[in-house]
Amino acid sequence: MPLRPELAGDVPYGAPQLDVPVLLNVNENPYPPSPQVVADVAAAVAEAAAGLNRYPDREFLPLRADLADYLAVESGVRVAPEQVWAANGSNEVMLHLLQAFGGPGRTALSFAPTYSMYPEYARDTHTRWVAGRRTEQFDVDPAEARALIAREAPSVVLLTSPNNPTGTALELDTVREVLAAAAEVPGGCVVVVDEAYGEFRREGVESALTLLADHPHLAVSRTMSKAFGLAGARVGYLAASRELVDALRVVRLPYHLSAVTQAVARAALRHAPELMAQVGSLRAERDQLVLDLRDRGIRVAESDANFVLFQVGEDRHAVWQQLLDRGVLIREVGPEGWLRVSVGTPEETAAFTAALWEVLGT
């Protein structure tokens, strides 16, 4: 097969999908939609189905307006519908960004450890990939970031906050430093703050959305997969300047967001208060899990996400396997010696901690 040389030997992205009692490996929301949400979604899909002989609204401004209304409540930042963009998961949103602002002869830059799909977006768009390093506390050092940006002159900088797989949220002053450095790049540089887990941030941790008004080259990405519990619907979105969003409209595929997807997303947004109440319980469950792990002498990264990264020693695969043998699937990802567990229901968390204490002998 005439496969592109850079793809030779690569394998598809994906976490293990195994049938075990406790699934805590892909940061899903453990709570399914309520019967009321299901009924509203079903009614919206039925209405959309009556017009499936026609192409969907390719500009989907009603959905963009709903997302703008949601962000105004969630973050206190009001943007116009034309400043919002959506696609099939935040993965496609990120791909649109690299298609528009990356490409041959251009560089995308981030700080590892971070989301493992970023270099794949760069590969798929023929964009050079550069990864700086995070600190021992999984933060980004502003001085090192400025130096790296000055040296590499990227056209795209990807900041993940809260970061995956560490859960660490960035200080807004750090984001400001990166924005200042990006503004000095010849030819311009887009800074993307990926807030896929933004709704899970602790009280007092501000969203980068608060910086949008003063930074036209900033984009803040979100998803409905996590907080909204809509991983199966595949809806991601971002907020940015109109000029940045218009660039994404150029590279999108025709009619990329189906009428059914738009209907599902709008129906779910009508239930945002109910769904955000679940987020509060998941935050509390996360914070308690962090305390429980630390009480057993386990090093845990600070988390503003719906998962926790914890240190287990040199042979993390053995720990991962022994947990799996006990019916608990978590994720073997991130720095060597660390494992990541998603926040589940109280029953799932209890099953995980019981299995972990047994494996570690704590």
Side-chain angles (χ1 to χ4, degrees), residues 237-296:
Y237 61 102
L238 63 70
S241 66
R242 297 185 191 217
E243 294 79 7
L244 194 154
V245 169
D246 282 347
L248 305 186
R249 293 171 61 232
V250 173
V251 300
R252 59 101 185 271
L253 291 174
Y255 310 107
H256 73 287
L257 206 58
S258 79
V260 170
T261 300
Q262 294 179 42
V264 170
R266 296 194 69 198
L269 285 162
R270 289 193 287 271
H271 294 269
E274 171 191 339
L275 295 168
M276 290 308 104
Q278 293 178 347
V279 169
S281 65
L282 289 169
R283 283 198 204 102
E285 190 74 17
R286 173 202 63 206
D287 293 343
Q288 186 60 51
L289 176 58
V290 169
L291 290 174
D292 291 344
L293 290 168
R294 288 175 175 167
D295 284 346
R296 298 280 178 144

Side-chain angles (χ1 to χ4, degrees), residues 187 195 197 199 246 254 327:
E195 292 188 345
Y197 302 94
E199 284 91 345
D246 282 347

Side-chain angles (χ1 to χ4, degrees), residues 34-66:
S34 69
Q36 293 79 13
V37 175
V38 170
D40 200 357
V41 167
V45 170
E47 183 178 350
L52 288 181
N53 59 309
R54 303 293 184 185
Y55 285 112
D57 177 0
R58 61 175 175 261
E59 297 300 335
F60 51 93
L61 275 169
L63 171 57
R64 292 157 75 183
D66 289 350

Side-chain angles (χ1 to χ4, degrees), residues 24-356:
L24 298 174
N25 69 323
V26 288
N27 304 336
E28 295 164 325
N29 189 319
Y31 298 106
S34 69
Q36 293 79 13
V37 175
V38 170
D40 200 357
V41 167
V45 170
E47 183 178 350
L52 288 181
N53 59 309
R54 303 293 184 185
Y55 285 112
D57 177 0
R58 61 175 175 261
E59 297 300 335
F60 51 93
L61 275 169
L63 171 57
R64 292 157 75 183
D66 289 350
L67 289 166
D69 288 342
Y70 164 71
L71 289 176
V73 173
E74 195 278 334
S75 69
V77 177
R78 167 60 66 181
V79 296
E82 293 82 5
Q83 291 180 259
V84 177
W85 186 244
N88 295 284
S90 57
N91 303 97
E92 189 178 33
V93 170
M94 291 293 174
L95 189 60
H96 285 171
L97 286 160
L98 269 292
Q99 286 175 314
F101 302 109
R106 295 188 169 198
T107 297
L109 184 152
S110 191
F111 300 89
T114 193
Y115 186 35
S116 61
M117 277 297 296
Y118 291 157
E120 296 195 22
Y121 304 143
R123 177 202 66 192
D124 293 347
T125 55
H126 301 278
T127 306
R128 175 173 170 260
W129 174 251
V130 172
R133 299 300 302 176
R134 285 177 174 254
T135 69
E136 286 294 316
Q137 291 73 40
F138 305 122
D139 293 321
V140 173
D141 181 272
E144 291 187 14
R146 291 197 70 134
L148 185 62
I149 291 168
R151 183 171 71 246
E152 300 295 343
S155 60
V156 180
V157 175
L158 296 167
L159 299 176
T160 319
S161 182
N163 185 45
N164 181 10
T166 66
T168 321
L170 293 176
E171 296 283 346
L172 282 193
D173 283 345
T174 300
V175 179
R176 290 187 184 96
E177 290 281 346
V178 170
L179 286 163
E184 298 172 4
V185 173
C189 175
V190 168
V191 176
V192 183
V193 180
D194 183 352
E195 292 188 345
Y197 302 94
E199 284 91 345
F200 297 100
R201 63 192 188 277
R202 287 170 289 185
E203 187 175 351
V205 177
E206 288 187 284
S207 167
L209 288 164
T210 58
L211 305 178
L212 274 181
D214 298 323
H215 297 281
H217 288 183
L218 170 65
V220 181
S221 174
R222 292 285 187 96
T223 182
M224 296 186 74
S225 294
K226 311 301 182 182
F228 277 87
L230 284 185
R234 311 305 301 128
V235 182
Y237 61 102
L238 63 70
S241 66
R242 297 185 191 217
E243 294 79 7
L244 194 154
V245 169
D246 282 347
L248 305 186
R249 293 171 61 232
V250 173
V251 300
R252 59 101 185 271
L253 291 174
Y255 310 107
H256 73 287
L257 206 58
S258 79
V260 170
T261 300
Q262 294 179 42
V264 170
R266 296 194 69 198
L269 285 162
R270 289 193 287 271
H271 294 269
E274 171 191 339
L275 295 168
M276 290 308 104
Q278 293 178 347
V279 169
S281 65
L282 289 169
R283 283 198 204 102
E285 190 74 17
R286 173 202 63 206
D287 293 343
Q288 186 60 51
L289 176 58
V290 169
L291 290 174
D292 291 344
L293 290 168
R294 288 175 175 167
D295 284 346
R296 298 280 178 144
I298 298 170
R299 184 183 174 193
V300 183
E302 296 292 341
S303 179
D304 281 278
N306 68 333
F307 56 84
V308 173
L309 188 77
F310 61 101
Q311 194 172 34
V312 294
E314 293 183 4
D315 196 354
R316 68 172 179 180
H317 181 71
V319 176
W320 178 87
Q321 184 62 59
Q322 289 177 69
L323 289 170
L324 182 59
D325 293 342
R326 289 163 172 80
V328 179
L329 177 62
I330 65 172
R331 190 74 184 271
E332 189 176 6
V333 69
E336 288 298 321
W338 296 71
L339 293 169
R340 191 193 73 194
V341 59
S342 306
V343 176
T345 64
E347 294 77 17
E348 289 171 333
T349 301
F352 159 70
T353 53
L356 184 65

